[in-house]
Every structure is written in C-alpha cells, then in structure tokens.
Coordinates of all heavy atoms in Angstrom, one line a residue:
S1 N -20.4 167.3 63.1 CA -20.2 165.9 63.5 C -19.6 165.8 64.8 O -19.0 166.8 65.3 CB -19.5 165.1 62.4 OG -18.1 165.4 62.6
A2 N -19.7 164.7 65.5 CA -19.1 164.5 66.8 C -17.6 164.7 66.8 O -17.0 165.2 67.8 CB -19.5 163.2 67.5
R3 N -17.0 164.3 65.7 CA -15.5 164.5 65.7 C -15.1 166.0 65.6 O -13.9 166.3 65.9 CB -15.0 163.7 64.4 CG -14.9 162.3 64.6 CD -14.2 161.7 63.4 NE -13.2 160.8 63.5 CZ -12.2 160.7 64.3 NH1 -12.0 161.5 65.2 NH2 -11.3 159.7 64.3
D4 N -16.0 166.9 65.2 CA -15.7 168.3 65.2 C -15.8 168.9 66.5 O -15.4 170.1 66.7 CB -16.5 169.0 64.1 CG -16.2 168.4 62.7 OD1 -15.1 168.0 62.5 OD2 -17.2 168.5 61.9
Q5 N -16.6 168.3 67.4 CA -16.7 168.9 68.8 C -15.5 168.8 69.6 O -14.8 167.8 69.5 CB -17.9 168.2 69.5 CG -19.2 168.4 69.0 CD -20.2 167.6 69.8 OE1 -20.1 166.4 70.0 NE2 -21.2 168.2 70.4
P6 N -15.2 169.8 70.5 CA -14.1 169.5 71.4 C -14.5 168.3 72.3 O -15.6 168.1 72.6 CB -14.1 170.8 72.3 CG -14.9 171.8 71.3 CD -15.8 171.1 70.5
R7 N -13.5 167.6 72.8 CA -13.8 166.4 73.6 C -14.7 166.7 74.7 O -15.6 165.8 75.0 CB -12.4 165.9 74.0 CG -11.6 165.2 73.1 CD -10.4 164.7 73.6 NE -9.7 163.9 72.6 CZ -8.4 163.4 72.8 NH1 -7.9 163.6 74.0 NH2 -7.9 162.8 71.9
H8 N -14.5 167.7 75.5 CA -15.3 167.9 76.7 C -16.8 168.1 76.3 O -17.7 167.8 77.1 CB -14.9 169.1 77.5 CG -15.0 170.4 76.8 ND1 -14.1 171.1 76.1 CD2 -16.1 171.3 77.0 CE1 -14.6 172.2 75.7 NE2 -15.7 172.4 76.2
E9 N -17.1 168.5 75.1 CA -18.5 168.7 74.7 C -19.3 167.3 74.5 O -20.5 167.2 74.4 CB -18.6 169.5 73.5 CG -18.3 171.0 73.8 CD -18.5 172.0 72.6 OE1 -19.0 171.5 71.6 OE2 -18.0 173.1 72.7
R10 N -18.5 166.2 74.3 CA -19.0 164.9 74.0 C -19.3 164.2 75.4 O -19.9 163.1 75.3 CB -18.1 164.2 73.1 CG -18.0 164.7 71.7 CD -17.1 163.9 70.8 NE -15.9 164.5 70.7 CZ -14.8 164.0 70.3 NH1 -14.8 162.7 70.0 NH2 -13.7 164.6 70.2
I11 N -18.8 164.7 76.4 CA -19.0 164.0 77.7 C -20.5 164.1 78.2 O -21.1 165.1 78.1 CB -18.1 164.6 78.8 CG1 -16.6 164.5 78.4 CG2 -18.3 164.0 80.2 CD1 -15.7 165.3 79.3
R12 N -21.0 163.0 78.6 CA -22.4 162.9 79.0 C -22.5 162.5 80.5 O -23.6 162.4 81.1 CB -23.2 162.0 78.1 CG -23.4 162.5 76.7 CD -24.1 163.8 76.7 NE -24.0 164.4 75.4 CZ -23.5 165.6 75.1 NH1 -22.9 166.2 76.0 NH2 -23.4 166.0 73.8
A13 N -21.4 162.1 81.1 CA -21.4 161.7 82.5 C -21.5 163.0 83.4 O -21.1 164.0 82.9 CB -20.1 161.0 82.8
P14 N -21.8 162.8 84.6 CA -21.8 164.0 85.5 C -20.4 164.6 85.7 O -19.4 163.8 85.7 CB -22.2 163.5 86.9 CG -23.0 162.2 86.6 CD -22.4 161.7 85.3
I15 N -20.3 165.9 85.7 CA -19.0 166.6 85.7 C -18.9 167.6 86.8 O -19.9 168.4 86.9 CB -18.6 167.2 84.3 CG1 -18.6 166.2 83.2 CG2 -17.4 168.1 84.4 CD1 -18.5 166.8 81.9
L16 N -17.8 167.7 87.5 CA -17.6 168.8 88.4 C -16.4 169.5 87.8 O -15.3 168.9 87.7 CB -17.3 168.3 89.8 CG -16.7 169.4 90.8 CD1 -17.8 170.4 91.0 CD2 -16.4 168.8 92.1
A17 N -16.5 170.8 87.5 CA -15.4 171.5 86.9 C -15.2 172.6 87.8 O -16.0 173.5 88.1 CB -15.7 172.0 85.5
I18 N -13.9 172.7 88.4 CA -13.5 173.8 89.3 C -12.5 174.7 88.5 O -11.5 174.2 88.2 CB -12.9 173.2 90.6 CG1 -13.8 172.2 91.3 CG2 -12.5 174.3 91.5 CD1 -13.2 171.5 92.5
F19 N -13.0 176.0 88.4 CA -12.1 177.0 87.8 C -11.6 177.8 89.0 O -12.2 178.1 89.9 CB -12.9 177.8 86.8 CG -13.2 176.9 85.6 CD1 -14.4 176.2 85.5 CD2 -12.5 177.1 84.5 CE1 -14.7 175.5 84.4 CE2 -12.8 176.3 83.3 CZ -13.9 175.5 83.3
A20 N -10.4 178.4 88.8 CA -9.7 179.1 89.8 C -9.3 180.6 89.4 O -8.2 180.8 89.0 CB -8.5 178.4 90.4
P21 N -10.3 181.4 89.2 CA -10.0 182.8 88.9 C -9.4 183.6 90.1 O -9.5 183.1 91.2 CB -11.2 183.4 88.4 CG -12.3 182.6 89.2 CD -11.8 181.3 89.4
G22 N -8.8 184.7 89.9 CA -8.4 185.5 91.1 C -7.1 185.3 91.6 O -6.7 185.6 92.7
Y23 N -6.2 184.6 90.8 CA -4.9 184.3 91.2 C -3.9 184.4 90.1 O -4.1 183.6 89.0 CB -4.9 182.9 91.9 CG -3.6 182.5 92.5 CD1 -3.3 182.9 93.8 CD2 -2.7 181.7 91.8 CE1 -2.1 182.6 94.3 CE2 -1.5 181.4 92.4 CZ -1.2 181.8 93.7 OH 0.0 181.3 94.3
V24 N -2.9 185.2 90.1 CA -1.9 185.3 89.0 C -0.7 184.6 89.5 O -0.1 184.9 90.5 CB -1.7 186.8 88.7 CG1 -0.6 186.8 87.6 CG2 -3.0 187.5 88.2
W25 N -0.3 183.6 88.8 CA 0.8 182.8 89.1 C 2.0 183.0 88.2 O 2.7 182.2 87.7 CB 0.5 181.3 88.9 CG 1.0 180.2 89.7 CD1 0.9 178.9 89.4 CD2 1.7 180.2 90.9 NE1 1.4 178.0 90.3 CE2 1.9 178.9 91.3 CE3 2.1 181.2 91.8 CZ2 2.6 178.4 92.5 CZ3 2.8 180.8 93.0 CH2 3.0 179.4 93.2
T26 N 2.2 184.3 88.0 CA 3.3 184.7 87.1 C 4.2 185.8 87.9 O 3.7 186.3 89.0 CB 2.8 185.4 85.8 OG1 2.0 186.5 86.2 CG2 2.1 184.4 85.0
S27 N 5.3 186.1 87.4 CA 6.2 187.1 88.0 C 6.0 188.3 87.3 O 6.9 188.8 86.5 CB 7.6 186.7 88.1 OG 8.1 186.3 86.8
V28 N 4.9 189.1 87.4 CA 4.7 190.4 86.8 C 5.2 191.4 87.7 O 5.2 191.2 88.9 CB 3.2 190.6 86.3 CG1 2.8 189.6 85.3 CG2 2.3 190.6 87.5
P29 N 5.6 192.5 87.2 CA 6.1 193.6 88.0 C 4.9 194.1 88.9 O 3.7 194.1 88.4 CB 6.5 194.7 87.1 CG 6.7 194.1 85.8 CD 5.9 192.8 85.8
P30 N 5.1 194.5 90.1 CA 4.1 194.9 91.0 C 3.1 195.9 90.4 O 1.9 195.8 90.7 CB 4.8 195.5 92.2 CG 6.1 194.8 92.2 CD 6.4 194.6 90.8
E31 N 3.6 196.8 89.6 CA 2.7 197.9 89.1 C 1.8 197.3 88.0 O 0.8 198.0 87.7 CB 3.6 199.1 88.5 CG 4.5 198.7 87.4 CD 5.8 198.2 87.7 OE1 6.1 197.9 88.9 OE2 6.7 198.0 86.8
L32 N 2.0 196.1 87.5 CA 1.1 195.5 86.5 C 0.4 194.4 87.1 O -0.5 193.9 86.4 CB 2.0 194.9 85.4 CG 2.9 195.9 84.5 CD1 3.6 195.2 83.5 CD2 2.0 197.0 84.0
H33 N 0.4 194.1 88.3 CA -0.3 193.0 89.0 C -1.8 193.1 88.8 O -2.5 192.2 88.5 CB 0.2 192.8 90.4 CG -0.5 191.5 91.0 ND1 -1.6 191.6 91.7 CD2 -0.1 190.2 91.0 CE1 -2.0 190.4 92.1 NE2 -1.1 189.6 91.7
D34 N -2.3 194.3 89.2 CA -3.8 194.5 89.1 C -4.3 194.3 87.7 O -5.4 193.7 87.5 CB -4.1 195.8 89.7 CG -3.9 195.9 91.2 OD1 -3.8 194.9 91.9 OD2 -3.9 197.1 91.7
A35 N -3.6 194.8 86.7 CA -4.1 194.7 85.4 C -4.0 193.2 84.9 O -4.9 192.7 84.3 CB -3.2 195.5 84.4
A36 N -2.8 192.5 85.3 CA -2.7 191.1 84.9 C -3.9 190.4 85.6 O -4.5 189.4 85.0 CB -1.3 190.6 85.3
L37 N -4.1 190.6 86.9 CA -5.2 189.9 87.6 C -6.5 190.1 87.0 O -7.3 189.2 86.8 CB -5.2 190.4 89.0 CG -6.2 189.7 89.9 CD1 -5.9 188.2 90.1 CD2 -6.2 190.3 91.3
S38 N -6.9 191.3 86.5 CA -8.1 191.6 85.8 C -8.2 190.8 84.5 O -9.3 190.1 84.3 CB -8.2 193.1 85.5 OG -9.4 193.4 84.8
V39 N -7.2 190.7 83.8 CA -7.2 190.0 82.5 C -7.4 188.5 82.8 O -8.2 187.8 82.1 CB -6.0 190.2 81.7 CG1 -5.8 189.3 80.5 CG2 -5.9 191.7 81.1
W40 N -6.7 188.0 83.8 CA -6.7 186.6 84.1 C -8.1 186.2 84.6 O -8.6 185.2 84.2 CB -5.7 186.3 85.3 CG -5.8 184.8 85.8 CD1 -6.3 184.5 86.9 CD2 -5.3 183.7 85.0 NE1 -6.1 183.1 87.0 CE2 -5.6 182.6 85.9 CE3 -4.7 183.5 83.8 CZ2 -5.2 181.3 85.5 CZ3 -4.4 182.2 83.5 CH2 -4.6 181.1 84.3
N41 N -8.7 187.1 85.4 CA -10.1 186.8 85.9 C -11.1 186.7 84.7 O -12.0 185.8 84.7 CB -10.5 187.9 86.9 CG -9.9 187.7 88.2 OD1 -9.3 186.7 88.5 ND2 -9.9 188.8 89.0
Q42 N -11.0 187.7 83.8 CA -11.9 187.7 82.7 C -11.8 186.5 81.8 O -12.7 185.9 81.4 CB -11.7 189.0 81.9 CG -12.1 190.3 82.5 CD -11.6 191.5 81.8 OE1 -11.2 191.4 80.6 NE2 -11.7 192.6 82.4
Q43 N -10.5 186.1 81.6 CA -10.3 184.8 80.8 C -10.8 183.6 81.5 O -11.5 182.8 80.9 CB -8.8 184.6 80.6 CG -8.5 183.5 79.8 CD -6.9 183.3 79.7 OE1 -6.2 183.9 80.5 NE2 -6.5 182.4 78.9
R44 N -10.6 183.5 82.8 CA -11.1 182.3 83.6 C -12.6 182.3 83.5 O -13.3 181.2 83.4 CB -10.6 182.3 85.0 CG -9.1 182.1 85.2 CD -8.8 180.6 85.0 NE -8.4 180.4 83.6 CZ -8.4 179.3 83.0 NH1 -8.6 178.2 83.6 NH2 -8.1 179.2 81.7
E45 N -13.2 183.4 83.7 CA -14.7 183.5 83.8 C -15.3 183.2 82.4 O -16.3 182.5 82.3 CB -15.1 184.9 84.3 CG -14.9 185.1 85.8 CD -15.0 186.5 86.3 OE1 -15.6 187.3 85.5 OE2 -14.6 186.7 87.4
R46 N -14.7 183.6 81.3 CA -15.2 183.3 80.0 C -15.0 181.8 79.7 O -15.9 181.1 79.2 CB -14.4 184.1 79.0 CG -14.8 185.6 78.7 CD -14.3 186.1 77.5 NE -12.8 186.1 77.4 CZ -12.0 187.1 77.9 NH1 -12.5 188.1 78.4 NH2 -10.8 186.9 77.7
H47 N -13.9 181.3 80.2 CA -13.7 179.8 79.9 C -14.7 179.1 80.7 O -15.3 178.1 80.2 CB -12.2 179.5 80.4 CG -11.8 178.1 80.1 ND1 -10.5 177.6 80.1 CD2 -12.5 177.0 79.7 CE1 -10.4 176.4 79.8 NE2 -11.7 176.0 79.5
A48 N -15.0 179.4 81.9 CA -16.0 178.7 82.8 C -17.3 178.8 82.1 O -18.1 177.8 82.1 CB -16.0 179.2 84.2
A49 N -17.7 180.0 81.6 CA -19.0 180.2 81.0 C -19.1 179.3 79.7 O -20.2 178.8 79.4 CB -19.2 181.7 80.7
R50 N -18.0 179.3 79.0 CA -18.1 178.4 77.8 C -18.3 176.9 78.1 O -19.0 176.3 77.5 CB -16.8 178.6 76.9 CG -16.8 179.8 76.0 CD -15.8 179.8 75.0 NE -14.4 179.5 75.4 CZ -13.6 180.5 75.8 NH1 -13.9 181.7 75.6 NH2 -12.4 180.2 76.3
F51 N -17.5 176.5 79.1 CA -17.7 175.1 79.6 C -19.1 174.8 80.0 O -19.6 173.9 79.6 CB -16.6 174.9 80.6 CG -16.5 173.5 81.0 CD1 -15.6 172.6 80.3 CD2 -17.3 172.9 81.9 CE1 -15.5 171.3 80.6 CE2 -17.2 171.5 82.3 CZ -16.2 170.7 81.6
R52 N -19.6 175.8 80.9 CA -20.9 175.5 81.4 C -21.9 175.5 80.3 O -22.9 174.6 80.3 CB -21.3 176.7 82.4 CG -22.7 176.5 82.9 CD -23.0 177.7 83.9 NE -22.2 177.7 85.1 CZ -21.4 178.6 85.5 NH1 -21.1 179.6 84.7 NH2 -20.7 178.6 86.6
A53 N -21.8 176.4 79.3 CA -22.7 176.4 78.1 C -22.6 175.1 77.2 O -23.5 174.7 76.6 CB -22.6 177.6 77.3
S54 N -21.4 174.6 77.1 CA -21.2 173.6 76.1 C -21.3 172.1 76.7 O -21.3 171.2 75.9 CB -19.8 173.7 75.4 OG -18.8 173.5 76.4
V55 N -21.3 172.0 78.0 CA -21.5 170.7 78.6 C -22.7 170.6 79.5 O -22.8 171.1 80.7 CB -20.2 170.4 79.5 CG1 -20.3 169.0 80.1 CG2 -19.0 170.5 78.7
P56 N -23.8 170.1 78.9 CA -25.1 170.0 79.7 C -24.9 169.3 81.0 O -24.3 168.2 81.1 CB -26.0 169.2 78.8 CG -25.4 169.3 77.4 CD -23.8 169.4 77.7
G57 N -25.5 169.9 82.0 CA -25.5 169.3 83.3 C -24.2 169.4 84.1 O -24.1 168.8 85.3
A58 N -23.2 170.0 83.6 CA -21.9 170.1 84.4 C -22.1 171.1 85.5 O -22.9 172.1 85.5 CB -20.8 170.7 83.4
Q59 N -21.5 170.7 86.7 CA -21.5 171.6 87.8 C -20.2 172.4 87.7 O -19.1 171.8 87.8 CB -21.6 170.8 89.1 CG -21.6 171.7 90.3 CD -21.6 170.8 91.7 OE1 -21.9 169.6 91.7 NE2 -21.2 171.4 92.7
V60 N -20.3 173.7 87.5 CA -19.1 174.6 87.4 C -19.0 175.4 88.7 O -19.9 176.1 89.0 CB -19.3 175.4 86.2 CG1 -18.0 176.3 86.0 CG2 -19.4 174.5 84.9
V61 N -17.8 175.4 89.3 CA -17.5 176.2 90.5 C -16.3 177.0 90.2 O -15.3 176.7 89.6 CB -17.2 175.2 91.6 CG1 -16.8 176.0 92.9 CG2 -18.3 174.3 91.9
L62 N -16.5 178.4 90.5 CA -15.4 179.3 90.4 C -14.8 179.5 91.8 O -15.5 180.0 92.7 CB -15.9 180.7 89.8 CG -16.3 180.7 88.4 CD1 -17.3 181.8 88.0 CD2 -15.0 180.8 87.5
L63 N -13.6 179.0 92.0 CA -13.0 179.0 93.3 C -12.1 180.2 93.4 O -10.9 180.3 93.1 CB -12.2 177.7 93.5 CG -11.8 177.5 94.9 CD1 -12.9 177.3 95.8 CD2 -11.0 176.2 94.9
E64 N -12.7 181.4 93.8 CA -12.0 182.6 93.9 C -10.8 182.6 94.7 O -10.8 182.0 95.8 CB -13.0 183.8 94.5 CG -14.2 184.0 93.6 CD -13.9 184.6 92.3 OE1 -12.8 185.2 92.1 OE2 -14.8 184.5 91.4
G65 N -9.8 183.3 94.4 CA -8.5 183.4 95.1 C -7.6 182.2 95.1 O -6.7 182.1 95.9
A66 N -7.9 181.3 94.2 CA -7.0 180.0 94.1 C -6.4 180.0 92.7 O -6.9 180.5 91.8 CB -7.8 178.8 94.4
G67 N -5.4 179.3 92.6 CA -4.7 179.0 91.3 C -4.6 177.6 91.0 O -5.3 176.8 91.6
H68 N -3.7 177.3 90.2 CA -3.5 175.8 89.8 C -3.2 174.9 90.9 O -3.8 173.8 91.0 CB -2.3 175.8 88.8 CG -2.2 174.4 88.2 ND1 -3.0 173.9 87.2 CD2 -1.2 173.4 88.4 CE1 -2.7 172.6 87.0 NE2 -1.6 172.4 87.6
P69 N -2.5 175.4 92.0 CA -2.3 174.5 93.2 C -3.5 174.6 94.1 O -3.2 174.8 95.3 CB -1.0 175.0 93.7 CG -0.8 176.5 93.4 CD -1.6 176.5 92.0
M70 N -4.7 174.6 93.7 CA -5.8 174.8 94.5 C -5.9 173.8 95.7 O -6.5 174.2 96.7 CB -7.1 174.9 93.7 CG -7.6 173.6 93.2 SD -9.2 173.8 92.3 CE -8.6 174.5 90.7
L71 N -5.5 172.6 95.5 CA -5.6 171.7 96.6 C -4.6 172.0 97.8 O -4.9 171.8 98.9 CB -5.1 170.2 96.1 CG -6.3 169.5 95.5 CD1 -5.8 168.2 94.9 CD2 -7.4 169.2 96.5
I72 N -3.6 172.8 97.4 CA -2.7 173.2 98.5 C -3.2 174.6 99.1 O -3.2 174.7 100.4 CB -1.2 173.5 97.9 CG1 -0.6 172.2 97.5 CG2 -0.4 174.2 99.0 CD1 0.6 172.3 96.7
Q73 N -3.7 175.4 98.2 CA -4.2 176.7 98.7 C -5.6 176.6 99.5 O -5.9 177.3 100.4 CB -4.4 177.7 97.5 CG -3.1 177.9 96.9 CD -3.3 178.6 95.5 OE1 -4.3 178.4 94.8 NE2 -2.3 179.5 95.2
R74 N -6.5 175.8 98.9 CA -7.8 175.7 99.4 C -8.3 174.3 99.6 O -9.4 173.9 99.3 CB -8.8 176.4 98.5 CG -8.4 177.9 98.1 CD -8.9 178.8 99.2 NE -10.3 179.1 99.1 CZ -10.9 179.8 98.2 NH1 -10.3 180.6 97.3 NH2 -12.2 179.9 98.2
G75 N -7.4 173.4 100.1 CA -7.6 172.0 100.2 C -8.9 171.6 100.9 O -9.7 170.9 100.2
P76 N -9.2 172.0 102.0 CA -10.5 171.6 102.7 C -11.7 172.0 101.8 O -12.7 171.2 101.7 CB -10.5 172.3 104.0 CG -9.1 172.5 104.3 CD -8.4 172.8 103.0
E77 N -11.7 173.1 101.2 CA -12.8 173.5 100.3 C -13.0 172.6 99.1 O -14.1 172.2 98.8 CB -12.7 175.0 100.0 CG -14.0 175.5 99.3 CD -13.8 177.1 99.1 OE1 -12.9 177.7 99.6 OE2 -14.7 177.6 98.5
V78 N -11.9 172.4 98.5 CA -11.9 171.5 97.3 C -12.3 170.1 97.6 O -13.2 169.5 96.9 CB -10.5 171.5 96.5 CG1 -10.4 170.5 95.5 CG2 -10.1 172.9 96.1
V79 N -11.8 169.6 98.7 CA -12.2 168.2 99.1 C -13.7 168.2 99.4 O -14.4 167.3 99.0 CB -11.4 167.8 100.4 CG1 -12.0 166.5 101.0 CG2 -10.0 167.5 100.0
A80 N -14.3 169.3 100.1 CA -15.7 169.3 100.4 C -16.5 169.3 99.1 O -17.5 168.7 99.0 CB -15.9 170.5 101.2
L81 N -16.0 170.1 98.1 CA -16.8 170.2 96.8 C -16.7 168.8 96.2 O -17.8 168.4 95.6 CB -16.1 171.2 95.8 CG -16.3 172.7 96.2 CD1 -15.3 173.6 95.4 CD2 -17.8 173.1 96.0
V82 N -15.6 168.2 96.1 CA -15.5 166.8 95.5 C -16.4 165.8 96.2 O -17.1 165.0 95.6 CB -14.1 166.4 95.3 CG1 -14.0 165.0 94.9 CG2 -13.3 167.3 94.4
R83 N -16.2 165.8 97.5 CA -17.0 164.9 98.4 C -18.5 165.1 98.1 O -19.3 164.1 97.9 CB -16.7 165.0 99.8 CG -17.5 164.0 100.7 CD -16.9 164.1 102.0 NE -15.6 163.5 102.0 CZ -14.7 163.5 103.0 NH1 -15.0 164.2 104.0 NH2 -13.5 163.0 102.7
E84 N -19.0 166.3 98.1 CA -20.4 166.6 97.9 C -20.8 166.1 96.5 O -22.0 165.5 96.3 CB -20.7 168.1 98.1 CG -22.1 168.5 97.8 CD -22.4 170.0 97.9 OE1 -21.6 170.7 98.7 OE2 -23.2 170.6 97.3
F85 N -20.0 166.4 95.5 CA -20.3 166.0 94.2 C -20.5 164.4 94.1 O -21.4 164.0 93.4 CB -19.3 166.5 93.2 CG -19.4 166.0 91.8 CD1 -20.3 166.7 90.9 CD2 -18.7 165.1 91.2 CE1 -20.6 166.3 89.6 CE2 -18.8 164.6 90.0 CZ -19.8 165.3 89.1
L86 N -19.5 163.7 94.6 CA -19.4 162.3 94.6 C -20.6 161.6 95.3 O -21.1 160.5 94.9 CB -18.1 161.8 95.0 CG -16.9 162.1 94.1 CD1 -15.6 161.6 94.9 CD2 -17.0 161.4 92.8
L87 N -21.1 162.3 96.3 CA -22.1 161.7 97.2 C -23.5 162.1 96.8 O -24.5 161.6 97.3 CB -21.9 162.0 98.7 CG -20.6 161.5 99.3 CD1 -20.4 161.9 100.8 CD2 -20.6 159.9 99.3
S88 N -23.6 163.1 95.9 CA -24.9 163.5 95.4 C -25.5 162.6 94.4 O -24.7 162.1 93.6 CB -24.8 164.9 94.9 OG -24.1 165.0 93.8
P89 N -26.8 162.3 94.5 CA -27.4 161.5 93.4 C -27.4 162.3 92.1 O -28.0 163.3 92.0 CB -28.7 161.2 94.0 CG -29.0 162.4 95.0 CD -27.8 162.8 95.4
N90 N -26.7 161.8 91.1 CA -26.7 162.5 89.8 C -27.6 161.9 88.9 O -27.8 161.0 88.4 CB -25.2 162.4 89.3 CG -24.3 163.3 90.1 OD1 -24.7 164.4 90.4 ND2 -23.2 162.8 90.4

C-alpha cells in the first residue's frame, strides 16, 4: 500500500536530487582516510541508485568531491544545476 512506501517513492512532481560522494566529513586518522572515503563513496552511490530506481523521472546528480556543505564547496555548479532544472520544461 502507499502507506508502506518510503515518502520519497510517493512523489510524482519533478525532482532534482543532488548526491555528494567523494568527500569524508569526519575526523578519521590519515591512514584510514582512503578506506573511509571508499566506503562513503560506495554508500552514496548505492543511495543515489536506489533513489533513481524508486522515483520515476527523478534527475539524480552525483556531485563528486563535495559534501554536505556543497553550496559552499561547489556553489556555482549547484546553482547552475538548480537553475537548469527549474527552467527546463518538465
């Protein structure tokens, strides 16, 4: 039933979902950074793939090298993605 679906799966409006793999925002020891980054990337990519598969018509973007503060890290690129999405005929 619809109540059993995650909320995002019930959305039918156009969606732009920006995922930010490639950035670890934790204080891991330097010798563990590469392993932590690998796990983080795999998790973000799986999450983005699940979102893409479960939300028909969603535009999913993986913004490499950015983290949660992506507007600070990659502001012009994020603004361009949002502007293009809002101005495109959906």
Side-chain angles (χ1 to χ4, degrees):
S1 77
R3 284 187 131 321
D4 297 330
Q5 286 180 305
R7 285 183 177 171
H8 69 270
E9 291 184 11
R10 292 183 259 162
I11 299 170
R12 296 295 171 243
I15 296 173
L16 170 63
I18 303 173
F19 291 85
Y23 184 81
V24 178
W25 210 194
T26 61
S27 55
V28 297
E31 65 273 11
L32 298 177
H33 184 267
D34 289 346
L37 183 59
S38 176
V39 169
W40 178 253
N41 286 344
Q42 291 170 11
Q43 179 185 17
R44 291 287 89 196
E45 289 169 10
R46 281 194 305 270
H47 189 166
R50 277 195 308 266
F51 190 89
R52 183 182 286 117
S54 65
V55 182
Q59 180 182 342
V60 178
V61 176
L62 290 156
L63 193 60
E64 298 292 338
H68 187 74
M70 69 178 77
L71 276 171
I72 295 169
Q73 297 166 328
R74 305 277 286 280
E77 190 173 351
V78 172
V79 169
L81 287 167
V82 172
R83 181 171 292 166
E84 179 181 333
F85 176 78
L86 292 174
L87 294 175
S88 68
N90 291 315

